[in-house]
């Protein structure tokens, strides 16, 4: 059975700095027509960073839509056509003041695939070197290292609801399992 929908038309109803909102008319596989509200979002990168003690670098940042301080890994949007690997390098240093000598690709996620085309590329960072933090204007966060087991405990207690952080840990653990570690 064919599941793909065909876009018939698209109308932009909002254009913002980070997202654009469209209402599309689509043809469904059963021949009927419907509407889709789509948030177009730039690509982003996120970094699961470990120091030489095996501790993971986490941030605590207030997230307005949830009205909560969220624990998460460093992340940010790609600037224009910037390569996601370069975004990962840049965001790690901007937000935490650390550079990674080693960055490897873990995978990508579609954090909310029902209504947005956002893609987050996730990287593993090791061999960290301290530089200096330089946050974007209007950005405020705390960061620090925690034992990886503490992060796993917090995840098991549902204290880390951030999708990119959960996915990064899943990719990391799956890779360790695959490697027999």
């Amino acid at each position: 059975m064919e599941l793909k929908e065909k876009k018939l038309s698209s109308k932009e109803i909002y254009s913002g700095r980070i997202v654009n909102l469209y209402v599309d008319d689509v043809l469904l596989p059963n021949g009927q027509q419907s509407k889709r509200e789509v948030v177009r979002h730039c690509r982003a990168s996120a970094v699961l960073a470990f120091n030489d003690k095996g501790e993971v670098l986490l941030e605590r940042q207030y997230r307005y839509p949830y009205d909560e301080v969220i624990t998460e890994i460093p992340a940010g949007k790609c600037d224009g056509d910037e390569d996601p690997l370069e975004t990962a390098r840049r965001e790690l240093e901007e937000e935490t003041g650390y550079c990674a000598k080693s960055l490897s690709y873990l995978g990508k996620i579609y954090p909310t695939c029902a209504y947005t085309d956002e893609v987050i590329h996730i990287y593993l960072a090791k061999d960290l070197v301290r530089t200096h933090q330089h946050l974007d204007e209007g950005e405020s966060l705390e960061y620090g290292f925690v034992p990886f087991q503490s992060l796993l405990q917090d995840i098991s207690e549902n204290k880390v609801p951030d999708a990119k952080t959960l996915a990064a840990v899943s990719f990391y653990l799956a890779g360790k399992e695959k490697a027999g570690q």
Side-chain angles (χ1 to χ4, degrees), residues 71-141:
T71 297
E72 57 191 277
I73 59 176
K77 66 181 185 70
C78 296
D79 289 339
D81 291 333
E82 182 179 40
D83 183 280
L85 176 63
E86 291 310 310
T87 302
R89 284 189 213 293
R90 179 178 49 75
E91 288 292 336
L92 179 64
E93 184 173 14
E94 282 179 7
E95 294 185 354
T96 68
Y98 282 93
C99 288
K101 290 182 183 177
S102 170
L103 266 174
S104 56
Y105 191 68
L106 292 175
K108 68 179 179 182
I109 63 168
Y110 303 155
T112 47
C113 58
Y115 60 86
T116 182
D117 64 354
E118 181 178 15
V119 176
I120 301 175
H121 297 274
I122 301 176
Y123 294 86
L124 174 65
K126 293 185 175 176
D127 300 321
L128 302 180
V129 176
R130 186 78 175 120
T131 61
H132 67 279
Q133 180 189 45
H134 44 99
L135 297 172
D136 290 337
E137 185 177 325
E139 192 171 30
S140 179
L141 59 86

Side-chain angles (χ1 to χ4, degrees), residues 13-95:
I13 61 173
Y14 174 77
S15 179
R17 188 174 58 85
I18 297 175
V19 299
N20 299 330
L21 179 58
Y22 291 81
V23 176
D24 294 356
D25 290 308
V26 298
L27 180 63
L28 303 175
N30 66 6
Q32 295 181 336
Q33 291 187 21
S34 188
K35 293 197 179 290
R36 297 288 181 253
E37 296 172 351
V38 181
V39 176
R40 301 281 180 207
H41 189 284
C42 54
R43 295 168 303 141
S45 293
V47 183
L48 183 65
F50 286 91
N51 65 15
D52 58 1
K53 298 177 194 170
E55 298 169 320
V56 65
L57 183 56
L58 294 176
E59 299 176 350
R60 290 177 27 86
Q61 188 169 4
Y62 177 76
R63 295 299 190 176
Y64 182 83
Y66 298 102
D67 191 27
E68 286 182 44
V69 174
I70 304 291
T71 297
E72 57 191 277
I73 59 176
K77 66 181 185 70
C78 296
D79 289 339
D81 291 333
E82 182 179 40
D83 183 280
L85 176 63
E86 291 310 310
T87 302
R89 284 189 213 293
R90 179 178 49 75
E91 288 292 336
L92 179 64
E93 184 173 14
E94 282 179 7
E95 294 185 354

